[in-house]
Amino acid sequence: MRLGSIEAGGTKFVCAVGNENYQIEDQVQFPTTTPVETLQQTVDYFKQFPDLKAISIASFGPIEIRKNAPKYGFITATPKPNWSNVDFLGRLKQDFDLPIVWTTDVNGSAYGEYVMSVLYNERIDSLTYYTIGTGVGAGTVIDGKFVGELGHPEMGHVRLKRHPDDLDFKGICPYHGDCLEGLVAGPTFEARTGNKGADVPLTDHVWDIMAYYIAQAALQTTLVMRPAKIVFGGGVMSEAFLDKVRDQFKTLMNGYLDVGELADYLTMPLVEHNGSATVGNFALAFNAVNH
């Protein structure tokens, strides 16, 4: 069965065609420019595959996910220039008469990690996936269903206790300043140090500061939802940096709850190269065909 995946990011779109076994048959990526140009490129790509059975979209947001809302399928009040109030889903439905799943980029990644966990026989019923990259967000899957009914969670915008060595940094979020995204997203490296994250050595204290904030987010998620594990993807994350997060998490938790081995609880993605959303989209598209 041929299925379509759209991972719609603020920087680039990744479109892929694959099957119910999560195998990619073909894939393309292109920059996120204007809505008209980018969505036309998306449509043109999938028109090459007339036997598609379903498409799943995992999009940057915020997006409207309530099916009874007038703007269901829209990207709403995004800081991405020119993309506010864009009818993403409606544009695809103009050209494709087939099931189309609509969710957030982090929900797509969370679902990809969830189905892969099942394949890896981890026997878990829940997980939360954080992406720490150009932006920050998270999605949670419990028993195969996403958390969020009135809207999708915005876990990248939770408020945090400031690190004592970081009190003068105002944060970069245009809405909140020093929320999680405003303090740990990739562009904060340049805002703090004048250098891109890839050029900042892991010995720089800024990594300890960011680990403190990400550990707080993991602590809040643990205390509120108690998922079986928390997965961290995105361009900022690495196993070495995640070790710093685990150390901070252990200090903040202070023995209050037992989450098992931290290396198994706070993890990097099972799907390599930040491809979790594509796997998740294939699984969601397959579900749409069969339900």
Side-chain angles (χ1 to χ4, degrees):
M1 183 185 298
R2 188 163 270 172
L3 306 165
S5 164
I6 303 170
E7 183 182 1
T11 303
K12 68 178 186 288
F13 271 45
V14 179
C15 298
V17 169
N19 57 41
E20 67 272 23
N21 295 318
Y22 321 126
Q23 297 165 323
I24 296 174
E25 298 175 14
D26 192 76
Q27 188 175 59
V28 67
Q29 69 178 50
F30 40 82
T32 306
T33 57
T34 66
V36 171
E37 180 181 29
T38 308
L39 295 180
Q40 187 61 54
Q41 283 181 278
T42 303
V43 167
D44 290 345
Y45 173 72
F46 285 111
K47 278 188 172 179
Q48 301 174 83
F49 305 96
D51 57 343
L52 273 182
K53 298 301 184 186
I55 298 172
S56 181
I57 306 166
S59 174
F60 72 95
I63 66 174
E64 180 57 80
I65 63 168
R66 296 172 295 177
K67 292 188 176 179
N68 61 349
K71 290 191 173 182
Y72 171 67
F74 279 60
I75 295 175
T76 57
T78 178
K80 175 73 175 172
N82 304 314
W83 281 83
S84 289
N85 293 309
V86 168
D87 186 5
F88 192 141
L89 182 60
R91 174 65 188 87
L92 261 72
K93 285 188 171 180
Q94 289 175 21
D95 286 271
F96 300 103
D97 182 22
L98 44 74
I100 304 178
V101 180
W102 172 245
T103 192
T104 65
D105 48 2
V106 283
N107 272 354
S109 293
Y111 205 78
E113 287 297 307
Y114 178 78
V115 297
M116 289 303 291
S117 294
V118 173
L119 289 180
Y120 275 73
N121 292 316
E122 289 193 353
R123 302 171 194 264
I124 65 170
D125 295 319
S126 62
L127 65 77
T128 294
Y129 178 98
Y130 275 91
T131 186
I132 314 289
T134 306
V136 176
T140 297
V141 179
I142 299 175
D143 291 334
K145 298 187 180 189
F146 296 123
V147 169
E149 188 167 336
L150 292 178
H152 54 82
E154 283 287 356
M155 295 162 73
H157 293 271
V158 296
R159 309 313 291 265
L160 305 164
K161 182 179 179 180
R162 296 300 298 268
H163 192 287
D165 298 337
D166 196 44
L167 299 179
D168 293 333
F169 181 58
K170 303 301 183 188
I172 64 167
C173 174
Y175 292 98
H176 310 118
D178 64 347
C179 60
L180 178 63
E181 179 172 287
L183 293 173
V184 305
T188 62
F189 283 103
E190 207 156 355
R192 282 193 179 93
T193 70
N195 296 308
K196 295 191 179 297
D199 299 323
V200 179
L202 203 61
T203 52
D204 193 300
H205 186 43
V206 70
W207 288 101
D208 301 313
I209 291 169
M210 292 175 63
Y212 176 69
Y213 294 136
I214 295 171
Q216 283 188 62
L219 182 74
Q220 292 175 9
T221 299
T222 301
L223 296 174
V224 172
M225 288 190 285
R226 297 304 303 272
K229 70 175 181 176
I230 303 175
V231 182
F232 292 94
V236 171
M237 297 306 300
S238 67
E239 190 67 44
F241 177 45
L242 187 53
D243 277 338
K244 288 181 176 286
V245 175
R246 291 175 181 131
D247 288 342
Q248 294 276 9
F249 179 88
K250 184 176 180 180
T251 300
L252 291 170
M253 183 63 82
N254 198 28
Y256 182 60
L257 294 177
D258 179 12
V259 296
E261 290 293 327
L262 281 182
D264 297 326
Y265 181 64
L266 304 180
T267 75
M268 294 288 289
L270 291 171
V271 184
E272 296 181 343
H273 311 301
N274 285 311
S276 306
T278 299
V279 171
N281 276 334
F282 289 154
L284 290 166
F286 180 71
N287 290 348
V289 173
N290 288 280
H291 293 89

Short mmCIF file of all heavy atoms in Angstrom, two decimals, residues 35-45 47 91 95:
data_model
loop_
_atom_site.label_atom_id
_atom_site.label_comp_id
_atom_site.label_asym_id
_atom_site.label_seq_id
_atom_site.Cartn_x
_atom_site.Cartn_y
_atom_site.Cartn_z
N PRO A 35 3.57 30.24 1.29
CA PRO A 35 2.58 29.15 1.30
C PRO A 35 2.18 28.71 -0.11
O PRO A 35 2.08 27.50 -0.37
CB PRO A 35 1.39 29.77 2.04
CG PRO A 35 1.99 30.82 2.92
CD PRO A 35 3.15 31.37 2.15
N VAL A 36 1.98 29.65 -1.02
CA VAL A 36 1.56 29.29 -2.37
C VAL A 36 2.61 28.42 -3.05
O VAL A 36 2.31 27.36 -3.60
CB VAL A 36 1.28 30.55 -3.21
CG1 VAL A 36 1.06 30.18 -4.68
CG2 VAL A 36 0.05 31.28 -2.68
N GLU A 37 3.86 28.85 -3.00
CA GLU A 37 4.93 28.11 -3.66
C GLU A 37 5.18 26.76 -3.01
O GLU A 37 5.28 25.73 -3.69
CB GLU A 37 6.22 28.94 -3.65
CG GLU A 37 7.39 28.24 -4.33
CD GLU A 37 8.67 29.06 -4.30
OE1 GLU A 37 8.86 29.85 -3.36
OE2 GLU A 37 9.49 28.88 -5.22
N THR A 38 5.26 26.74 -1.68
CA THR A 38 5.61 25.51 -0.97
C THR A 38 4.51 24.45 -1.08
O THR A 38 4.79 23.27 -1.31
CB THR A 38 5.90 25.81 0.51
OG1 THR A 38 6.86 26.87 0.59
CG2 THR A 38 6.46 24.60 1.22
N LEU A 39 3.27 24.88 -0.94
CA LEU A 39 2.17 23.91 -1.03
C LEU A 39 1.99 23.42 -2.46
O LEU A 39 1.61 22.25 -2.68
CB LEU A 39 0.88 24.51 -0.48
CG LEU A 39 0.91 24.83 1.02
CD1 LEU A 39 -0.41 25.43 1.47
CD2 LEU A 39 1.24 23.58 1.85
N GLN A 40 2.28 24.26 -3.45
CA GLN A 40 2.22 23.80 -4.84
C GLN A 40 3.30 22.76 -5.11
O GLN A 40 3.05 21.76 -5.79
CB GLN A 40 2.38 24.97 -5.80
CG GLN A 40 2.17 24.59 -7.27
CD GLN A 40 0.76 24.06 -7.53
OE1 GLN A 40 -0.22 24.72 -7.20
NE2 GLN A 40 0.66 22.86 -8.10
N GLN A 41 4.50 22.97 -4.56
CA GLN A 41 5.56 21.97 -4.70
C GLN A 41 5.14 20.65 -4.07
O GLN A 41 5.43 19.56 -4.60
CB GLN A 41 6.85 22.46 -4.04
CG GLN A 41 7.62 23.50 -4.83
CD GLN A 41 8.90 23.91 -4.11
OE1 GLN A 41 8.88 24.74 -3.21
NE2 GLN A 41 10.00 23.31 -4.51
N THR A 42 4.46 20.74 -2.94
CA THR A 42 3.98 19.54 -2.25
C THR A 42 2.97 18.78 -3.10
O THR A 42 3.07 17.56 -3.28
CB THR A 42 3.34 19.93 -0.90
OG1 THR A 42 4.31 20.65 -0.11
CG2 THR A 42 2.87 18.72 -0.14
N VAL A 43 2.01 19.51 -3.63
CA VAL A 43 0.99 18.89 -4.49
C VAL A 43 1.64 18.26 -5.72
O VAL A 43 1.33 17.12 -6.10
CB VAL A 43 -0.07 19.94 -4.90
CG1 VAL A 43 -0.95 19.41 -6.03
CG2 VAL A 43 -0.93 20.33 -3.70
N ASP A 44 2.54 18.99 -6.35
CA ASP A 44 3.19 18.48 -7.57
C ASP A 44 3.96 17.18 -7.28
O ASP A 44 3.97 16.26 -8.12
CB ASP A 44 4.15 19.53 -8.14
CG ASP A 44 3.43 20.73 -8.72
OD1 ASP A 44 2.21 20.64 -8.94
OD2 ASP A 44 4.09 21.77 -8.91
N TYR A 45 4.58 17.11 -6.12
CA TYR A 45 5.34 15.90 -5.77
C TYR A 45 4.40 14.69 -5.68
O TYR A 45 4.66 13.64 -6.29
CB TYR A 45 6.08 16.09 -4.45
CG TYR A 45 6.74 14.82 -3.95
CD1 TYR A 45 7.87 14.31 -4.58
CD2 TYR A 45 6.20 14.12 -2.87
CE1 TYR A 45 8.46 13.13 -4.15
CE2 TYR A 45 6.78 12.94 -2.44
CZ TYR A 45 7.90 12.44 -3.07
OH TYR A 45 8.47 11.27 -2.65
N LYS A 47 1.46 14.22 -6.86
CA LYS A 47 0.74 13.89 -8.09
C LYS A 47 1.50 12.87 -8.94
O LYS A 47 0.93 12.26 -9.84
CB LYS A 47 0.48 15.16 -8.90
CG LYS A 47 -0.73 15.95 -8.43
CD LYS A 47 -1.05 17.09 -9.37
CE LYS A 47 -2.37 17.73 -9.00
NZ LYS A 47 -2.70 18.87 -9.89
N ARG A 91 -5.92 23.20 1.02
CA ARG A 91 -5.18 23.26 -0.24
C ARG A 91 -4.91 21.87 -0.78
O ARG A 91 -5.05 21.63 -2.00
CB ARG A 91 -3.85 24.01 -0.01
CG ARG A 91 -2.93 24.02 -1.24
CD ARG A 91 -3.56 24.81 -2.40
NE ARG A 91 -2.79 24.68 -3.64
CZ ARG A 91 -2.95 23.70 -4.52
NH1 ARG A 91 -3.86 22.75 -4.30
NH2 ARG A 91 -2.24 23.68 -5.63
N ASP A 95 -6.77 18.88 -4.49
CA ASP A 95 -6.16 18.01 -5.51
C ASP A 95 -6.21 16.52 -5.18
O ASP A 95 -5.96 15.71 -6.07
CB ASP A 95 -4.69 18.42 -5.70
CG ASP A 95 -4.54 19.70 -6.48
OD1 ASP A 95 -4.48 19.64 -7.72
OD2 ASP A 95 -4.52 20.78 -5.85
#
